Amino acid sequence: MHFRNFELFCAVADLRSFSKAASMSDLTQSGVSQAIQQLEESLGVILIDRSKRPLGLTGAGEVYYRGVRDLLGRYRRLEQEVVSTSKQLEGQVCVAAIYSVGLSYMPEATQAFKRLHPEVDLRLSFGRNERVMQMVVDGIVDIGLVSFPKNTKQVQSVLWQQEPIRLVCSPQHPFASRRDVSLSDLQGLEMVGFDRELELRQLIDQTLQRLGITVDVRMEFDNADSIVRAIQANQGIGILPEAVVRRETAVGSLQVVACPELRITRPLGIMFKRPGRLSRAANEFGSLLLGRPLEPDRRSKPIAAKAAAVDLKRESSAIA
């Protein structure tokens, strides 16, 4: 199967739109649709649920998406490793990331980049979303990794991925022994949550409100790590980004609770100053994260919270 079709499928899955994927890929909407149909015909399954807006993935599509993302990522890393054998990079790359992204994704990405480019001095900073954006604007860092990325006159944003948000609890919580829960089970539930000023909290609240559910957030924090510790210490439950709890769910100190009617994702993006400002080393690091060449997103509209795909009818599978 042609790799281009894999890339187009991931674009449609990330953006939840054939037209947006076509615009990003410099193709017609018909061309993207035909590429997805070819994939579906070759597999004998439906990958994209076209009956909803925004579009959603079927169960088979969710499985295929995770596998294709991994395949493309490994292929791009192989390409970069081959290229790096003949093109030694040097210099310094400064990256700022929000805490949840920095602690979840950066260790592996940093190690991979250092293996490819050992002469590059890679430096990481952490902060809240607004702080990371300002560091990019001020030129303190080359690249910013944020949630709910936006385009401005000074900064260009590229959608990196749509990160699933999960309902998680301590092993001692009553929900831990259940295979899944319904929306009605969440009504009035005491939770640990994000500070209400954060965009992720607002997205979660809006989604629950749309579903007619009210929860009781007893403790609020401005970072995911504190929420994790509070859930563990108080035998509680909360709604958190998937990558944040990957380690805890793997060792059993937290547990994902499936809620088939609830699905939320938050957009993660790579930010940098307008074209012409990135060094080759910084561009290589951004490309490694993205899994393809880091290029400006030509769409003029900001990638705002509306870009987060909120599918109210299907819960994706457990943490990868």
Side-chain angles (χ1 to χ4, degrees), residues 144-262:
L145 306 176
V146 299
S147 60
F148 304 96
K150 299 175 178 66
N151 290 328
T152 70
K153 292 181 179 180
Q154 299 168 295
V155 173
Q156 180 71 52
S157 298
V158 174
L159 182 63
W160 177 18
Q161 59 179 292
Q162 295 283 1
E163 181 180 43
I165 308 299
R166 306 297 190 193
L167 182 66
V168 298
C169 69
S170 78
Q172 293 77 35
H173 192 276
F175 282 5
S177 61
R178 298 177 57 172
R179 183 173 180 178
D180 55 42
V181 298
S182 65
L183 280 177
S184 60
D185 293 321
L186 305 184
Q187 181 63 36
L189 187 67
E190 294 184 6
M191 282 191 175
V192 182
F194 287 97
D195 188 302
R196 65 192 65 204
E197 294 183 358
L198 299 181
E199 285 185 274
L200 179 54
R201 168 66 184 276
Q202 294 166 14
L203 174 62
I204 293 170
D205 287 350
Q206 290 166 7
T207 303
L208 293 174
Q209 182 179 14
R210 190 179 302 132
L211 293 167
I213 299 299
T214 302
V215 298
D216 184 5
V217 180
R218 292 297 182 95
M219 291 185 284
E220 298 182 1
F221 299 92
D222 65 358
N223 65 89
D225 191 51
S226 295
I227 296 177
V228 168
R229 292 200 299 270
I231 290 175
Q232 292 171 327
N234 296 277
Q235 301 181 10
I237 190 167
I239 300 176
L240 285 160
E242 177 181 88
V244 169
V245 296
R246 187 171 294 146
R247 180 180 64 253
E248 286 77 12
T249 55
V251 300
S253 61
L254 284 181
Q255 184 169 324
V256 172
V257 181
C259 183
E261 299 161 285
L262 175 68

Side-chain angles (χ1 to χ4, degrees), residues 38-96:
Q38 289 176 7
L39 283 176
E40 291 176 326
E41 289 172 2
S42 68
L43 294 168
V45 297
I46 300 299
L47 301 172
I48 304 291
D49 185 349
R50 298 163 174 80
S51 65
K52 296 178 294 198
R53 291 295 183 274
L55 300 174
L57 294 176
T58 65
E62 292 280 2
V63 174
Y64 195 64
Y65 173 73
R66 292 196 300 273
V68 168
R69 285 273 305 189
D70 179 66
L71 177 64
L72 289 174
R74 285 188 285 117
Y75 178 73
R76 297 307 182 198
R77 287 193 292 273
L78 174 61
E79 282 188 323
Q80 291 167 347
E81 187 171 358
V82 171
V83 171
S84 68
T85 59
S86 59
K87 295 182 179 180
Q88 183 100 17
L89 283 184
E90 297 180 345
Q92 185 180 93
V93 176
C94 295
V95 179

Side-chain angles (χ1 to χ4, degrees), residues 77 80 89 91-93 106-122 280-289:
R77 287 193 292 273
Q80 291 167 347
L89 283 184
Q92 185 180 93
V93 176
M106 286 303 97
E108 182 179 351
T110 299
Q111 292 175 11
F113 188 75
K114 287 183 176 180
R115 286 196 301 269
L116 294 172
H117 308 292
E119 299 302 316
V120 176
D121 180 16
L122 181 62
R280 181 167 162 252
N283 192 289
E284 285 292 323
F285 183 74
S287 298
L288 182 144
L289 290 175

Side-chain angles (χ1 to χ4, degrees), residues 15 69 95-98 100-102 105-106 129 132-133 136 142-151 155-163 266-272 285-286 289-290 292 294-295 297 299 303-304 307:
L15 299 171
R69 285 273 305 189
V95 179
I98 59 175
S100 58
V101 169
Y105 297 98
M106 286 303 97
N129 228 42
V132 172
M133 292 180 185
V136 175
D142 301 295
I143 288 174
L145 306 176
V146 299
S147 60
F148 304 96
K150 299 175 178 66
N151 290 328
V155 173
Q156 180 71 52
S157 298
V158 174
L159 182 63
W160 177 18
Q161 59 179 292
Q162 295 283 1
E163 181 180 43
R266 69 166 176 173
L268 299 180
I270 301 173
M271 300 187 72
F272 49 93
F285 183 74
L289 290 175
L290 196 59
R292 58 180 172 82
L294 181 61
E295 297 176 351
D297 187 340
R299 293 171 298 168
I303 308 171

